[in-house]
Amino acid sequence: MSPIPVLPLVINGCMSALGSLATLKLIPAFKDHFISARLYGMDLNKTNKKEVPESQGVISGTVFLIIMFCFIPVPFLSCFVEEQCTGFPHNEFVQLIGALLAICCMIFLGFADDVLNLRWRHKLLLPTIASLPLLMVYFTNFGNTVIVVPKPFRLLLGMHLDLGILYYVYMGMLAVFCTNAINILAGINGIESGQALFISGSIIIFNLLELGGDYRDDHIFSLYFMLPFFFTTLALFYHNWYPSSVFVGDTFCYFAGMTFAVVGILGHFSKTMLLFFIPQVVNFVYSLPQLFHVVPCPRHRLPRLNPDTGKLGMSWSKFKRRDLSKLGNLILQVAEMLRVLEVKRGQEGDDEFVECNNMTLINLVLNILGPTHERDLTTIMLLIQVLGSALAFGIRYHLVRLFYDV
Amino acid sequence: MSPIPVLPLVINGCMSALGSLATLKLIPAFKDHFISARLYGMDLNKTNKKEVPESQGVISGTVFLIIMFCFIPVPFLSCFVEEQCTGFPHNEFVQLIGALLAICCMIFLGFADDVLNLRWRHKLLLPTIASLPLLMVYFTNFGNTVIVVPKPFRLLLGMHLDLGILYYVYMGMLAVFCTNAINILAGINGIESGQALFISGSIIIFNLLELGGDYRDDHIFSLYFMLPFFFTTLALFYHNWYPSSVFVGDTFCYFAGMTFAVVGILGHFSKTMLLFFIPQVVNFVYSLPQLFHVVPCPRHRLPRLNPDTGKLGMSWSKFKRRDLSKLGNLILQVAEMLRVLEVKRGQEGDDEFVECNNMTLINLVLNILGPTHERDLTTIMLLIQSSCEITIVRLYTGGYRYRVGAPVS
């Protein structure tokens, strides 16, 4: 097995640290450009109406790209300087460039979405377009679509299963899922950049643990991307933390989601990576009724500020009883019974009204804890993220025996 | 020598044609999004104050990227389907992906420039950043920095010269030059998309002529990029032609410049490609005094509309005599003497004023022709562009036939 490429990792680490400092400086430096371009938002949970620059993910994303562009020849330097490699590792080179193409395209399309305010269907289309180069590179580099069947299903499906084109659909959907899953667990200062920071930190720890394993190269490849991502996001998190002086924008959610999908797919650990997304998955499942408009969904679902107490409380969706479908009514009743949803019913004039809390993980936490200050709420959400990662490691290294032979 | 890959070229052509139709439809479809995002301009040479969507290069650029993404496996299909290739051509695959990375990054940074209105120094920085992957791919794929010295210099420098790192500087500068050269030959409806259309058309003709030569693979590679570029730009040109219903934006100039630089560098015909840029080079050289502010440079240098006649005339730069440096004064005098610059001198109160026409190729043409209607002016500029291309191609084919000793038909 090839030795650990210490020098490239160290160089990557140093470049990432420099990138972090650069991002830290550039974000305030471009503030006026964003305000002039009308790329700003008002913080709905603050009493002041200050203009907060949006789409700052474009800055951390650009610094990430510059770091990676400069880093491109570094893993292959030994081939040129000392001519140590037996044959030039074209496969690895193509992977690196192909991955960067997918991420670069995603940052571009994400920024275009922020600027042009594209529709919801575009939020599914854009990551699919950006993941095309990834799929093409996978096709030409590996083309492997055979999976190992988890133990419980082996009687039914056998030891191995060739998914064929479904594997590519899975990869495409992974990018769509990661980008949007981060995008909908949002609304309080620092949550988007924070969750991405902790997920990437978990992936880095996972990669480092696996450096001693059989798939060392895959995890080194992942580290090459996760280190710059972690450090540039750290700088963004500094500015985005409560009280936010900048917002990250959809650009960041797209950028983060695609970067995770890329390392998961090309590093062949997408299932483990999804384990690090447990809070996002829970939020997504809980949000499904509103995402499909079975339960009415308002424009914003973030928690609401109580100006008197200065604390955030749950946000609500109010609608007429007769506007609710049978399925919607069933979902409300089941959720209420399971104590994961609070429902109020009342009468106004001739109409019966129903109110339920917006079905987000943040609201669920507020339901349990009661009104909470925004800073504390984000801290708790990030603690949940850490717990989710701990659980993920537990499943990956212990419960895994239930599903696969290790 | 490998046979001409007819099927991939045909597929590329068909995809490009579809992309052209898509671009044609998408541009009007997104008009409202751009206006809402305040990405619009006012046509300074029209009397109406209609809002014209800007940065439409982002649409043609995105369609281009989608075509190319879908096209990525096509040149290599024979390796999978029939397993005909001896070893997978990794070099070519890396070139394709690396080129797309440079172009994609450039479209992105170009769009960011249009939205955020970055400063002039960024217009030099952004193409350099976007060309980095290109340089890295070149380094790992070929790494060849030796050039054949042109005959007049051989006594001095020898037959071959290893430029080393200067070759990479040249490649980086090529991207910066191409993007900005197209950007400054601008200001009349249809000129930016039109010039890019004609340059790419000429490169396509050049590539087709060279398919019978020794460097077939390089020219096939170039065609894979130039065909989608030509057809998406054609659709953009349709909307951008007089009277413009859309403006292309800096996004398009960046996109075009980088695509040309990419095919020129990776196809190893950058010198020939620069020959197709002769009008842009002339405009650039003529603009140098104003670009370096040796001669004062106003915000806009485009020709000015005379509302009474409806024709465009030269635009002028007015400044005080004492604000002009000695070098600036010298340049004005030499240019005036060579009849390439019109200078007016006058007095207003205590100050001596000097007025000279803005030093652009378009103004030079107006100087010769007199006031002209905008549509005719753009047509003439594009005729100048195509005449240069045809001349270069004709000289080239004449020389080519002479070199290989084929009978002149």
Side-chain angles (χ1 to χ4, degrees):
Chain A
M1 197 170 35
S2 50
I4 297 178
V6 179
L7 189 60
L9 280 170
V10 168
I11 292 175
N12 188 304
C14 293
M15 291 170 80
S16 302
L18 282 172
S20 196
L21 290 171
T23 309
L24 207 63
K25 295 285 170 194
L26 287 171
I27 286 176
F30 279 93
K31 184 170 177 169
D32 294 327
H33 285 276
F34 280 83
I35 305 276
S36 310
R38 303 199 11 140
L39 278 170
Y40 61 80
M42 304 292 192
D43 194 330
L44 292 171
N45 281 334
K46 302 288 182 299
T47 42
N48 68 63
K49 292 298 161 202
K50 212 171 62 167
E51 296 166 341
V52 182
E54 266 274 17
S55 309
Q56 299 301 292
V58 76
I59 296 182
S60 73
T62 303
V63 175
F64 172 88
L65 286 175
I66 296 175
I67 296 172
M68 292 307 293
F69 286 174
C70 297
F71 183 73
I72 288 173
V74 175
F76 312 98
L77 274 179
S78 58
C79 285
F80 305 112
V81 178
E82 298 146 53
E83 295 185 40
Q84 263 182 15
C85 55
T86 39
F88 187 82
H90 283 104
N91 268 13
E92 292 172 34
F93 193 60
V94 159
Q95 266 200 164
L96 190 65
I97 308 276
L100 284 176
L101 181 53
I103 295 171
C104 179
C105 184
M106 192 75 266
I107 298 174
F108 162 51
L109 294 177
F111 187 58
D113 183 17
D114 264 341
V115 172
L116 301 171
N117 278 314
L118 304 174
R119 293 194 197 89
W120 254 103
R121 59 172 179 264
H122 297 122
K123 290 198 192 312
L124 305 177
L125 190 66
L126 300 183
T128 312
I129 294 171
S131 65
L132 280 177
L134 196 62
L135 304 189
M136 301 304 181
V137 167
Y138 189 90
F139 176 63
T140 41
N141 242 12
F142 319 105
N144 178 39
T145 57
V146 177
I147 60 160
V148 175
V149 178
K151 284 183 188 172
F153 301 95
R154 277 183 198 169
L155 277 173
L156 199 69
L157 299 167
M159 186 76 175
H160 293 104
L161 181 65
D162 187 356
L163 292 177
I165 198 151
L166 281 180
Y167 198 85
Y168 290 91
V169 175
Y170 163 69
M171 290 196 289
M173 292 295 100
L174 193 67
V176 176
F177 174 75
C178 292
T179 51
N180 287 289
I182 295 176
N183 206 353
I184 62 172
L185 183 55
I188 49 182
N189 288 178
I191 188 98
E192 299 97 344
S193 53
Q195 68 187 281
L197 193 69
F198 280 82
I199 293 173
S200 66
S202 314
I203 295 178
I204 288 172
I205 293 171
F206 174 60
N207 292 144
L208 291 171
L209 289 172
E210 287 290 306
L211 282 185
D214 289 331
Y215 302 100
R216 172 177 288 172
D217 290 340
D218 290 339
H219 292 278
I220 290 166
F221 174 84
S222 171
L223 280 170
Y224 289 157
F225 286 80
M226 285 289 102
L227 287 169
F229 179 81
F230 180 86
F231 282 100
T232 49
T233 305
L234 186 62
L236 182 61
F237 183 61
Y238 173 83
H239 289 287
N240 186 231
W241 179 249
Y242 182 93
S244 292
S245 49
V246 298
F247 289 148
V248 300
D250 286 345
T251 313
F252 178 75
C253 302
Y254 280 120
F255 166 39
M258 181 55 82
T259 309
F260 292 138
V262 156
V263 298
I265 290 169
L266 295 177
H268 302 98
F269 60 84
S270 59
K271 295 189 297 295
T272 309
M273 193 201 70
L274 282 172
L275 286 176
F276 294 127
F277 270 71
I278 286 173
Q280 282 71 22
V281 172
V282 170
N283 182 55
F284 172 70
V285 170
Y286 187 44
S287 297
L288 276 174
Q290 285 192 301
L291 292 178
F292 281 97
H293 296 282
V294 175
V295 173
C297 183
R299 173 78 183 83
H300 288 292
R301 301 192 300 156
L302 64 154
R304 293 297 176 178
L305 177 70
N306 181 337
D308 303 320
T309 61
K311 294 186 176 183
L312 295 185
M314 291 197 292
S315 60
W316 298 82
S317 176
K318 189 171 178 178
F319 44 89
K320 292 179 188 165
R321 178 82 172 71
R322 51 189 163 86
D323 286 344
L324 193 66
S325 66
K326 279 189 183 170
L327 177 62
N329 200 34
L330 179 69
I331 290 174
L332 283 187
Q333 288 181 337
V334 170
E336 197 180 8
M337 196 169 60
L338 292 171
R339 303 251 190 122
V340 293
L341 191 68
E342 220 178 276
V343 185
K344 297 179 195 168
R345 291 174 178 79
Q347 192 104 12
E348 285 180 27
D350 286 333
D351 301 306
E352 273 184 58
F353 273 89
V354 182
E355 245 188 314
C356 69
N357 63 277
N358 279 312
M359 300 170 82
T360 68
L361 185 62
I362 300 174
N363 271 343
L364 193 60
V365 168
L366 280 171
N367 199 359
I368 298 167
L369 297 178
T372 317
H373 190 276
E374 191 170 3
R375 194 191 323 108
D376 301 332
L377 183 59
T378 314
T379 311
I380 290 163
M381 294 306 300
L382 293 178
L383 270 171
I384 292 175
Q385 191 76 52
V386 171
L387 285 174
S389 293
L391 179 64
F393 277 111
I395 295 173
R396 174 64 180 76
Y397 286 110
H398 297 288
L399 290 182
V400 69
R401 283 163 231 283
L402 291 174
F403 295 94
Y404 295 101
D405 305 307
V406 285
Chain B
M1 199 169 35
S2 51
I4 298 178
V6 178
L7 188 61
L9 280 170
V10 167
I11 291 175
N12 188 304
C14 293
M15 292 171 78
S16 302
L18 281 172
S20 196
L21 290 171
T23 310
L24 208 62
K25 294 287 172 194
L26 287 171
I27 287 176
F30 279 94
K31 185 172 175 164
D32 294 328
H33 286 276
F34 280 84
I35 305 276
S36 310
R38 298 183 37 125
L39 278 170
Y40 61 80
M42 304 292 194
D43 195 330
L44 293 172
N45 281 333
K46 303 286 183 300
T47 42
N48 67 62
K49 292 300 161 202
K50 211 169 65 167
E51 296 166 342
V52 182
E54 266 272 19
S55 311
Q56 299 301 290
V58 77
I59 296 184
S60 73
T62 304
V63 175
F64 172 89
L65 287 175
I66 296 175
I67 296 172
M68 292 306 292
F69 286 172
C70 296
F71 182 73
I72 289 173
V74 175
F76 311 98
L77 273 180
S78 57
C79 286
F80 306 113
V81 178
E82 299 146 51
E83 293 182 40
Q84 262 183 18
C85 54
T86 40
F88 188 81
H90 286 284
N91 268 14
E92 292 173 33
F93 192 60
V94 160
Q95 265 200 166
L96 190 66
I97 308 275
L100 283 176
L101 181 53
I103 295 171
C104 179
C105 185
M106 192 76 265
I107 298 174
F108 161 52
L109 294 177
F111 185 59
D113 183 15
D114 264 340
V115 171
L116 301 172
N117 280 312
L118 304 175
R119 291 194 200 91
W120 254 103
R121 58 172 181 261
H122 297 122
K123 290 200 191 309
L124 305 178
L125 189 67
L126 301 183
T128 312
I129 294 172
S131 65
L132 279 177
L134 197 61
L135 304 188
M136 302 303 181
V137 167
Y138 188 89
F139 176 62
T140 42
N141 243 12
F142 319 104
N144 178 38
T145 57
V146 177
I147 60 162
V148 176
V149 178
K151 285 184 187 173
F153 300 96
R154 278 183 200 169
L155 278 173
L156 200 70
L157 299 165
M159 186 73 175
H160 294 104
L161 181 66
D162 187 356
L163 291 177
I165 198 151
L166 282 181
Y167 198 84
Y168 290 90
V169 174
Y170 163 69
M171 289 196 287
M173 291 298 99
L174 192 68
V176 176
F177 174 76
C178 290
T179 51
N180 288 288
I182 294 176
N183 208 353
I184 62 173
L185 185 54
I188 48 181
N189 288 180
I191 187 97
E192 299 97 342
S193 52
Q195 67 187 283
L197 195 68
F198 280 80
I199 294 173
S200 67
S202 321
I203 294 178
I204 288 172
I205 293 170
F206 172 62
N207 291 145
L208 290 171
L209 289 171
E210 283 290 300
L211 283 184
D214 289 331
Y215 302 98
R216 173 176 287 172
D217 291 339
D218 289 341
H219 292 277
I220 289 166
F221 175 83
S222 170
L223 281 170
Y224 288 157
F225 286 80
M226 285 289 101
L227 286 170
F229 179 80
F230 180 85
F231 281 99
T232 50
T233 305
L234 186 62
L236 182 62
F237 183 61
Y238 172 84
H239 289 286
N240 185 229
W241 180 247
Y242 182 92
S244 293
S245 50
V246 299
F247 289 147
V248 300
D250 286 345
T251 314
F252 178 75
C253 301
Y254 280 120
F255 166 39
M258 180 57 80
T259 309
F260 292 138
V262 155
V263 298
I265 290 169
L266 295 178
H268 302 98
F269 60 86
S270 60
K271 296 189 298 295
T272 310
M273 192 199 70
L274 282 173
L275 289 177
F276 292 130
F277 269 71
I278 285 175
Q280 283 71 23
V281 171
V282 169
N283 182 55
F284 172 71
V285 170
Y286 187 42
S287 297
L288 277 173
Q290 285 192 298
L291 293 178
F292 281 98
H293 296 282
V294 176
V295 172
C297 185
R299 174 77 184 84
H300 288 293
R301 301 192 300 157
L302 65 154
R304 293 297 175 178
L305 177 71
N306 179 338
D308 303 320
T309 61
K311 295 188 177 184
L312 295 185
M314 293 196 292
S315 60
W316 299 80
S317 175
K318 190 172 179 177
F319 43 88
K320 293 180 189 165
R321 180 82 170 71
R322 49 187 164 88
D323 286 342
L324 191 66
S325 65
K326 280 189 182 171
L327 177 62
N329 199 34
L330 178 70
I331 290 173
L332 284 188
Q333 288 180 334
V334 169
E336 195 179 8
M337 196 168 61
L338 293 170
R339 302 250 190 122
V340 293
L341 191 68
E342 220 177 277
V343 184
K344 298 181 195 167
R345 292 174 178 79
Q347 191 105 11
E348 283 181 31
D350 286 332
D351 301 306
E352 273 185 58
F353 273 88
V354 183
E355 244 189 314
C356 68
N357 64 273
N358 279 312
M359 300 169 83
T360 69
L361 185 61
I362 300 175
N363 272 341
L364 194 61
V365 168
L366 280 172
N367 199 0
I368 297 166
L369 297 178
T372 317
H373 190 277
E374 190 171 1
R375 193 191 323 109
D376 300 331
L377 184 58
T378 314
T379 310
I380 289 163
M381 294 305 300
L382 292 178
L383 272 170
I384 294 174
Q385 187 82 50
S386 49
S387 312
C388 291
E389 322 299 31
I390 292 169
T391 313
I392 300 295
V393 172
R394 191 68 194 83
L395 285 173
Y396 196 89
T397 52
Y400 173 70
R401 277 190 243 163
Y402 180 85
R403 276 206 308 277
V404 296
V408 177
S409 52

